Amino acid sequence: MKSKNNLLIAFIYFVAIISPAFAASPRPVIAQNGMVVASESIAAGIGLDILKQGGNAVDAAIATAAVLNVTEGYSSGMGGGCFILIYWAEDDQVYAIDGRECAPFKAFRDIYIDKKSGKPIPDVSTEGITAVATPGQPAALEMIYKRWGSIAWADLFRPAIAVADTGFPLSRTYAEKLSYFAQRLYQYPANRGIFFPAGDTLPYGFGDKLIQKDLAKLLQNLASRGTEWFYDSDFTREFVNFVKEQKGFLSLNDFLTYQPIERQSIHGNFRGYDIYVMPPPSSGGIHIIQMLKILEPFNLSYWGANSSETIHILIESMKRAFADRAYYLGDPDFVDVPIAGLLDSAYLDRQRNTMKPYQASAIQGPGSIPQEESSQTTHFSIIDQDGNMVAITSTVNTSFGCGVVLPGWGLILNNQMDDFSIQPGVPNYYGLIGSEANAIEGGKRPLSSMSPIIVLKDGLPAGIFGSPGGPRIITTVLQTFLNIVEFGMDVQEAVDCPRVHHQWKPNVIFIEPGIPNDVLANLIAKGHEIIPNGYWSSAQCIWIDENTGLITGGTDSRTEGAAVGY
Ligand code: DON
């Protein structure tokens, strides 16, 4: 009997080691020359067409971004902002372009605080024109085009204009978002002619054709007149007048002075992989590297993906990173973000040493870093036949941004002001809290969780990662990367694998479906509080197979994207 039990234990042990805790996934898409992975399939297909026509990854990225503005406009577009990472093979360099929105110059620290009560005024930073920050996406796309584009700018917009003009059938995801936000959208008369059939208070549904003539006109102007038209023209003045009428904060000067910024990407290393991330005002980059460095000494693959031991250690690293985020991170042009201190290896060793293997720890606040001498979203990943890589995460913040569409132009306006810390300790839409470093100031960029990353191995392209999901972007990208590099999953399995998330406050682990109950019981026994959640994020990743050099793509099965290559 005893030997039978031993056999059983050995078998369970063996299975636990060789089979990670994730459901079966489709095989990854494989290609030899180039690939586009995006969270919406029409946009991915058009990006691929551009690659096949001889365009490079930057050309394909611009065309894909323009189509996403049409087919997934609730998530990203010219009325929002983006972060772009580019690996340019000829230079063997990673470039980081910050196309994040800026707070209007009229904005100030307590703009959303009720003077009498001293408390935040509900919804003004998320809904309506008061939530809008100066859009950055058009200028950022033009910046990368001027440097790397190889196909006529106008040609890159042609497919998006056609899809906006003739319409496309609504995906389930788009229809669900429309239905969820219908009431908010219906308030603004300009939205009715776009999202609602004539005379109807219910919006278009799954499979209905969404035609966006006004948006086609906007994209046509961008195509033929460049972004100067967006930031300094009669259109700009019309835009600003509308904002003024509606009592918003944007003024002409915000548009005239808006500039995308080229920043120095941040580099880290994990088990021989060179990881390049977006610097602040992205918080994701720094924290992904922090967590990877905290995790590196652990033998996570021995415990297995989504075992309670692995989740416990991941969660402990997440708590520490998010506590640092709340305290230290903000727009580096306005506050000193102690990047070197946050990534200092002795500091991260100390952070790791405060972790207990069998017990959840209570984190009171950020770690004490060494002093320095000085300092609904979308993601798509593209690689071309020359090995150039582009990772773009782009957003209007929450679905349909502030809910206002610029009348006559079909432009969905962001509500990125909510990514600022409205008041220290007051959570934003995503439950994130912040400090003075992320307080509102005119011209400042709100802190972001968007985390595009590019990975090289031995100087060669290895991977492109990214996702939407607010703060869950950071932990999604971390887990997707670990799923490949640490747990040996292919890229499709890696994006599909159930996820966990902790953001320091609230002090709970959010858990996707698919993680077994005994794992949850073990985590509870270690002192963690757990909140079972639905699914989140939408990772869109490319990974280069080290043995064959083949390009493999994984699009998140949680959403309706596509990985397409040739
Ligand atoms: O920049 C940020 O961190 C947020 N505005 C991102 C929002 C987002 O990912 C929404 N997606 N589900």
PDB file of all heavy atoms in Angstrom, residues 100 325 376-377 395 397-398 416 419 430 447-450 467-471 473, ligand 1:
ATOM      1  N   ARG A 100       2.458  60.464 -25.002  1.00  0.00           N
ATOM      2  CA  ARG A 100       1.451  60.554 -23.940  1.00  0.00           C
ATOM      3  C   ARG A 100       0.764  61.918 -23.982  1.00  0.00           C
ATOM      4  O   ARG A 100       1.399  62.930 -24.308  1.00  0.00           O
ATOM      5  CB  ARG A 100       2.177  60.384 -22.598  1.00  0.00           C
ATOM      6  CG  ARG A 100       1.314  60.362 -21.362  1.00  0.00           C
ATOM      7  CD  ARG A 100       0.577  59.084 -21.215  1.00  0.00           C
ATOM      8  NE  ARG A 100       0.031  58.905 -19.867  1.00  0.00           N
ATOM      9  CZ  ARG A 100      -0.983  58.098 -19.603  1.00  0.00           C
ATOM     10  NH1 ARG A 100      -1.571  57.398 -20.569  1.00  0.00           N
ATOM     11  NH2 ARG A 100      -1.406  57.951 -18.367  1.00  0.00           N
ATOM     12  N   ARG A 325       5.572  52.465  -6.995  1.00  0.00           N
ATOM     13  CA  ARG A 325       4.895  53.225  -8.055  1.00  0.00           C
ATOM     14  C   ARG A 325       4.099  54.383  -7.463  1.00  0.00           C
ATOM     15  O   ARG A 325       4.154  55.513  -7.936  1.00  0.00           O
ATOM     16  CB  ARG A 325       3.937  52.298  -8.827  1.00  0.00           C
ATOM     17  CG  ARG A 325       3.229  52.969  -9.998  1.00  0.00           C
ATOM     18  CD  ARG A 325       2.108  52.083 -10.525  1.00  0.00           C
ATOM     19  NE  ARG A 325       1.613  52.531 -11.817  1.00  0.00           N
ATOM     20  CZ  ARG A 325       0.730  53.504 -12.009  1.00  0.00           C
ATOM     21  NH1 ARG A 325       0.245  54.162 -10.978  1.00  0.00           N
ATOM     22  NH2 ARG A 325       0.336  53.839 -13.237  1.00  0.00           N
ATOM     23  N   GLN A 376      -9.455  51.352 -21.560  1.00  0.00           N
ATOM     24  CA  GLN A 376      -9.446  50.279 -22.497  1.00  0.00           C
ATOM     25  C   GLN A 376      -8.496  50.709 -23.565  1.00  0.00           C
ATOM     26  O   GLN A 376      -8.569  51.719 -24.035  1.00  0.00           O
ATOM     27  CB  GLN A 376     -10.764  49.809 -22.863  1.00  0.00           C
ATOM     28  CG  GLN A 376     -10.480  48.435 -23.414  1.00  0.00           C
ATOM     29  CD  GLN A 376     -10.534  47.307 -22.491  1.00  0.00           C
ATOM     30  OE1 GLN A 376     -11.024  47.359 -21.517  1.00  0.00           O
ATOM     31  NE2 GLN A 376      -9.966  46.240 -22.923  1.00  0.00           N
ATOM     32  N   THR A 377      -7.462  50.875 -24.017  1.00  0.00           N
ATOM     33  CA  THR A 377      -6.091  50.737 -24.463  1.00  0.00           C
ATOM     34  C   THR A 377      -5.943  49.562 -25.423  1.00  0.00           C
ATOM     35  O   THR A 377      -6.730  48.626 -25.390  1.00  0.00           O
ATOM     36  CB  THR A 377      -5.201  50.531 -23.225  1.00  0.00           C
ATOM     37  OG1 THR A 377      -5.499  51.576 -22.322  1.00  0.00           O
ATOM     38  CG2 THR A 377      -3.735  50.499 -23.544  1.00  0.00           C
ATOM     39  N   THR A 395      -3.835  54.439 -26.191  1.00  0.00           N
ATOM     40  CA  THR A 395      -5.059  54.457 -25.376  1.00  0.00           C
ATOM     41  C   THR A 395      -5.816  55.777 -25.408  1.00  0.00           C
ATOM     42  O   THR A 395      -5.217  56.827 -25.637  1.00  0.00           O
ATOM     43  CB  THR A 395      -4.710  54.135 -23.906  1.00  0.00           C
ATOM     44  OG1 THR A 395      -5.899  53.982 -23.156  1.00  0.00           O
ATOM     45  CG2 THR A 395      -3.878  55.220 -23.251  1.00  0.00           C
ATOM     46  N   ASN A 397      -7.645  55.876 -22.628  1.00  0.00           N
ATOM     47  CA  ASN A 397      -7.868  55.504 -21.221  1.00  0.00           C
ATOM     48  C   ASN A 397      -9.050  54.551 -21.116  1.00  0.00           C
ATOM     49  O   ASN A 397      -8.981  53.468 -21.675  1.00  0.00           O
ATOM     50  CB  ASN A 397      -7.986  56.714 -20.299  1.00  0.00           C
ATOM     51  CG  ASN A 397      -7.817  56.305 -18.836  1.00  0.00           C
ATOM     52  OD1 ASN A 397      -7.258  55.240 -18.563  1.00  0.00           O
ATOM     53  ND2 ASN A 397      -8.281  57.085 -17.912  1.00  0.00           N
ATOM     54  N   THR A 398     -10.130  54.897 -20.428  1.00  0.00           N
ATOM     55  CA  THR A 398     -11.200  53.904 -20.272  1.00  0.00           C
ATOM     56  C   THR A 398     -11.996  53.817 -21.587  1.00  0.00           C
ATOM     57  O   THR A 398     -11.843  54.677 -22.462  1.00  0.00           O
ATOM     58  CB  THR A 398     -12.133  54.282 -19.105  1.00  0.00           C
ATOM     59  OG1 THR A 398     -12.738  55.535 -19.395  1.00  0.00           O
ATOM     60  CG2 THR A 398     -11.351  54.396 -17.807  1.00  0.00           C
ATOM     61  N   GLN A 416      -7.698  60.899 -20.081  1.00  0.00           N
ATOM     62  CA  GLN A 416      -6.405  60.542 -19.486  1.00  0.00           C
ATOM     63  C   GLN A 416      -6.097  61.340 -18.225  1.00  0.00           C
ATOM     64  O   GLN A 416      -5.217  60.961 -17.451  1.00  0.00           O
ATOM     65  CB  GLN A 416      -5.301  60.783 -20.529  1.00  0.00           C
ATOM     66  CG  GLN A 416      -4.229  59.709 -20.562  1.00  0.00           C
ATOM     67  CD  GLN A 416      -4.745  58.375 -21.021  1.00  0.00           C
ATOM     68  OE1 GLN A 416      -4.852  57.446 -20.233  1.00  0.00           O
ATOM     69  NE2 GLN A 416      -5.074  58.270 -22.287  1.00  0.00           N
ATOM     70  N   ASP A 419      -5.621  59.581 -14.957  1.00  0.00           N
ATOM     71  CA  ASP A 419      -4.404  58.838 -14.588  1.00  0.00           C
ATOM     72  C   ASP A 419      -3.497  59.647 -13.656  1.00  0.00           C
ATOM     73  O   ASP A 419      -2.513  59.129 -13.144  1.00  0.00           O
ATOM     74  CB  ASP A 419      -3.622  58.421 -15.845  1.00  0.00           C
ATOM     75  CG  ASP A 419      -4.149  57.115 -16.423  1.00  0.00           C
ATOM     76  OD1 ASP A 419      -4.995  56.477 -15.775  1.00  0.00           O
ATOM     77  OD2 ASP A 419      -3.711  56.723 -17.519  1.00  0.00           O
ATOM     78  N   TYR A 430      -8.786  52.925 -11.754  1.00  0.00           N
ATOM     79  CA  TYR A 430      -8.192  51.582 -11.636  1.00  0.00           C
ATOM     80  C   TYR A 430      -7.838  51.215 -10.199  1.00  0.00           C
ATOM     81  O   TYR A 430      -7.146  50.224  -9.965  1.00  0.00           O
ATOM     82  CB  TYR A 430      -6.943  51.481 -12.513  1.00  0.00           C
ATOM     83  CG  TYR A 430      -7.257  51.727 -13.972  1.00  0.00           C
ATOM     84  CD1 TYR A 430      -6.932  52.937 -14.575  1.00  0.00           C
ATOM     85  CD2 TYR A 430      -7.929  50.780 -14.731  1.00  0.00           C
ATOM     86  CE1 TYR A 430      -7.259  53.182 -15.905  1.00  0.00           C
ATOM     87  CE2 TYR A 430      -8.266  51.020 -16.046  1.00  0.00           C
ATOM     88  CZ  TYR A 430      -7.934  52.218 -16.621  1.00  0.00           C
ATOM     89  OH  TYR A 430      -8.265  52.456 -17.922  1.00  0.00           O
ATOM     90  N   LEU A 447       0.986  59.803 -15.107  1.00  0.00           N
ATOM     91  CA  LEU A 447       1.690  58.524 -15.002  1.00  0.00           C
ATOM     92  C   LEU A 447       0.872  57.434 -15.689  1.00  0.00           C
ATOM     93  O   LEU A 447      -0.355  57.432 -15.614  1.00  0.00           O
ATOM     94  CB  LEU A 447       1.866  58.192 -13.520  1.00  0.00           C
ATOM     95  CG  LEU A 447       2.676  56.949 -13.187  1.00  0.00           C
ATOM     96  CD1 LEU A 447       4.093  57.048 -13.735  1.00  0.00           C
ATOM     97  CD2 LEU A 447       2.725  56.760 -11.664  1.00  0.00           C
ATOM     98  N   SER A 448       1.559  56.531 -16.351  1.00  0.00           N
ATOM     99  CA  SER A 448       0.872  55.487 -17.113  1.00  0.00           C
ATOM    100  C   SER A 448       1.385  54.114 -16.709  1.00  0.00           C
ATOM    101  O   SER A 448       2.518  53.960 -16.257  1.00  0.00           O
ATOM    102  CB  SER A 448       1.155  55.703 -18.601  1.00  0.00           C
ATOM    103  OG  SER A 448       0.661  54.633 -19.360  1.00  0.00           O
ATOM    104  N   SER A 449       0.533  53.109 -16.914  1.00  0.00           N
ATOM    105  CA  SER A 449       0.969  51.720 -16.706  1.00  0.00           C
ATOM    106  C   SER A 449       1.330  51.056 -18.023  1.00  0.00           C
ATOM    107  O   SER A 449       1.742  49.892 -18.029  1.00  0.00           O
ATOM    108  CB  SER A 449      -0.155  50.908 -16.059  1.00  0.00           C
ATOM    109  OG  SER A 449      -0.477  51.438 -14.812  1.00  0.00           O
ATOM    110  N   MET A 450       1.152  51.767 -19.132  1.00  0.00           N
ATOM    111  CA  MET A 450       1.400  51.131 -20.432  1.00  0.00           C
ATOM    112  C   MET A 450       2.860  50.677 -20.520  1.00  0.00           C
ATOM    113  O   MET A 450       3.767  51.444 -20.234  1.00  0.00           O
ATOM    114  CB  MET A 450       1.074  52.099 -21.563  1.00  0.00           C
ATOM    115  CG  MET A 450      -0.407  52.424 -21.626  1.00  0.00           C
ATOM    116  SD  MET A 450      -0.866  53.291 -23.136  1.00  0.00           S
ATOM    117  CE  MET A 450      -0.083  54.875 -22.899  1.00  0.00           C
ATOM    118  N   SER A 467       0.240  44.950 -23.705  1.00  0.00           N
ATOM    119  CA  SER A 467      -1.169  44.645 -23.440  1.00  0.00           C
ATOM    120  C   SER A 467      -1.891  45.901 -22.973  1.00  0.00           C
ATOM    121  O   SER A 467      -1.265  46.814 -22.440  1.00  0.00           O
ATOM    122  CB  SER A 467      -1.249  43.594 -22.335  1.00  0.00           C
ATOM    123  OG  SER A 467      -2.596  43.362 -21.972  1.00  0.00           O
ATOM    124  N   PRO A 468      -3.218  45.963 -23.147  1.00  0.00           N
ATOM    125  CA  PRO A 468      -4.007  46.932 -22.375  1.00  0.00           C
ATOM    126  C   PRO A 468      -4.299  46.358 -20.998  1.00  0.00           C
ATOM    127  O   PRO A 468      -3.916  45.217 -20.712  1.00  0.00           O
ATOM    128  CB  PRO A 468      -5.293  47.038 -23.191  1.00  0.00           C
ATOM    129  CG  PRO A 468      -5.445  45.720 -23.854  1.00  0.00           C
ATOM    130  CD  PRO A 468      -4.044  45.195 -24.079  1.00  0.00           C
ATOM    131  N   GLY A 469      -5.019  47.128 -20.158  1.00  0.00           N
ATOM    132  CA  GLY A 469      -5.453  46.582 -18.875  1.00  0.00           C
ATOM    133  C   GLY A 469      -5.179  47.479 -17.688  1.00  0.00           C
ATOM    134  O   GLY A 469      -5.168  47.001 -16.547  1.00  0.00           O
ATOM    135  N   GLY A 470      -4.906  48.775 -17.910  1.00  0.00           N
ATOM    136  CA  GLY A 470      -4.610  49.651 -16.775  1.00  0.00           C
ATOM    137  C   GLY A 470      -3.412  49.091 -16.013  1.00  0.00           C
ATOM    138  O   GLY A 470      -2.460  48.605 -16.620  1.00  0.00           O
ATOM    139  N   PRO A 471      -3.454  49.111 -14.668  1.00  0.00           N
ATOM    140  CA  PRO A 471      -2.318  48.604 -13.895  1.00  0.00           C
ATOM    141  C   PRO A 471      -2.029  47.125 -14.157  1.00  0.00           C
ATOM    142  O   PRO A 471      -0.915  46.646 -13.949  1.00  0.00           O
ATOM    143  CB  PRO A 471      -2.743  48.811 -12.452  1.00  0.00           C
ATOM    144  CG  PRO A 471      -4.214  49.080 -12.488  1.00  0.00           C
ATOM    145  CD  PRO A 471      -4.530  49.637 -13.819  1.00  0.00           C
ATOM    146  N   ILE A 473      -1.741  45.816 -16.876  1.00  0.00           N
ATOM    147  CA  ILE A 473      -0.787  45.706 -17.986  1.00  0.00           C
ATOM    148  C   ILE A 473       0.554  45.229 -17.438  1.00  0.00           C
ATOM    149  O   ILE A 473       1.209  44.344 -17.995  1.00  0.00           O
ATOM    150  CB  ILE A 473      -0.567  47.085 -18.661  1.00  0.00           C
ATOM    151  CG1 ILE A 473      -1.827  47.585 -19.357  1.00  0.00           C
ATOM    152  CG2 ILE A 473       0.619  47.023 -19.631  1.00  0.00           C
ATOM    153  CD1 ILE A 473      -1.715  49.026 -19.885  1.00  0.00           C
TER     154      ILE A 473
HETATM  155  O1  DON B   1      -1.965  54.760 -19.245  1.00  0.00           O
HETATM  156  C1  DON B   1      -2.555  54.016 -18.468  1.00  0.00           C
HETATM  157  O2  DON B   1      -2.007  53.415 -17.567  1.00  0.00           O
HETATM  158  C2  DON B   1      -4.047  53.803 -18.654  1.00  0.00           C
HETATM  159  N1  DON B   1      -4.639  54.986 -19.208  1.00  0.00           N
HETATM  160  C3  DON B   1      -4.269  52.602 -19.509  1.00  0.00           C
HETATM  161  C4  DON B   1      -5.718  52.265 -19.681  1.00  0.00           C
HETATM  162  C5  DON B   1      -5.964  50.879 -20.125  1.00  0.00           C
HETATM  163  O3  DON B   1      -5.079  50.095 -20.278  1.00  0.00           O
HETATM  164  C6  DON B   1      -7.389  50.521 -20.334  1.00  0.00           C
HETATM  165  N2  DON B   1      -7.478  49.174 -20.830  1.00  0.00           N
HETATM  166  N3  DON B   1      -8.102  48.274 -20.537  1.00  0.00           N
END
